[in-house]
Amino acid sequence: MSVPSLPPSLFLGLALLFPGLAGAATLSVTVNDAAGRPLSDAVVMLEPASGRLPVKPMAAVEVGQAARQFTPAVTVVTVGTPVNFPNHDTVRHHVYSFSPAKTFELKLYAGVPATPVVFDKPGVAVLGCNIHDQMAAWIVVVDTPHFARTAAGPAQLAGIPPGTWRLKAWHPALPADMAPQATMVTVGTDDQAATVRLATRVTP
Ligand SMILES: [Cu+2]
């Protein structure tokens, strides 16, 4: 018995299942410091040149405290995301942010605060602890579904439709309260790479 060949209509059906992927490209973004060295923990995002794309709040995001440090130090969330701040230490912490992106205070507490903090505006919230001056963390709130971060290699922004985009990049080494730095990029149908140099603080 011979194997029947697939009807052409099946192939058409498979193509229609993924219309959003047709022609979408991956943009690899390297973020360098002022001296041209690549930065890890940089946050990159793509916004449309005009208008905005719908975003969904993320679920189950945590910025914990352990060994008197925030963990992780840098967190990226979409607008509207609730964030929990569980304290895993035996000492109490007093977590706050005075940043315009989100001003809040979780007064001296142990364990898990009863309600999460909702990050409802785009921007960067700088976190501190009133008790432990060395504790610092950053929550980057993005108003786009296209975001990524650098690690050992470039940040990978996948599934980007062709067009002109505003590429924004941010890193904790930028001067305090400096907004993400923007540049325009044109994305085609092929994968491509971009490099952003940030005016980071000079480190000795
Ligand atoms: Cu503390």
Side-chain angles (χ1 to χ4, degrees):
M1 197 176 118
S2 67
V3 178
S5 60
L6 292 171
S9 61
L10 181 58
F11 290 109
L12 180 62
L14 287 173
L16 289 175
L17 277 177
F18 306 103
L21 295 180
T26 295
L27 181 64
S28 303
V29 185
T30 300
V31 181
N32 290 339
D33 67 9
R37 294 170 299 209
L39 292 161
S40 60
D41 254 348
V43 175
V44 300
M45 66 200 88
L46 276 182
E47 299 172 353
S50 62
R52 60 181 290 275
L53 295 171
V55 294
K56 284 185 200 151
M58 294 156 65
V61 178
E62 285 188 355
V63 176
Q65 300 107 56
R68 301 182 189 198
Q69 296 293 340
F70 286 109
T71 175
V74 176
T75 301
V76 194
V77 299
T78 50
V79 168
T81 295
V83 177
N84 282 299
F85 294 90
N87 179 359
H88 303 294
D89 285 329
T90 50
V91 294
R92 292 190 293 170
H93 295 296
H94 185 139
V95 177
Y96 70 88
S97 167
F98 297 137
S99 301
K102 188 68 192 180
T103 302
F104 72 95
E105 194 171 16
L106 297 169
K107 292 186 177 166
L108 214 53
Y109 69 97
V112 184
T115 39
V117 177
V118 177
F119 289 79
D120 45 12
K121 278 191 300 224
V124 180
V126 184
L127 310 185
C129 172
N130 256 354
I131 311 301
H132 306 103
D133 283 345
Q134 84 282 3
M135 290 176 66
W138 297 265
I139 295 184
V140 182
V141 188
V142 300
D143 193 20
T144 172
H146 301 304
F147 61 89
R149 57 199 290 168
T150 60
Q156 306 286 338
L157 294 158
I160 308 301
T164 302
W165 297 85
R166 183 176 297 105
L167 172 63
K168 289 183 174 176
W170 178 89
H171 187 270
L174 280 174
D177 286 335
M178 183 178 276
Q181 302 298 287
T183 182
M184 301 305 288
V185 294
T186 300
V187 175
T189 51
D190 295 323
D191 293 350
Q192 63 191 77
T195 301
V196 178
R197 184 180 282 205
L198 293 179
T200 49
R201 288 186 301 256
V202 176
T203 46

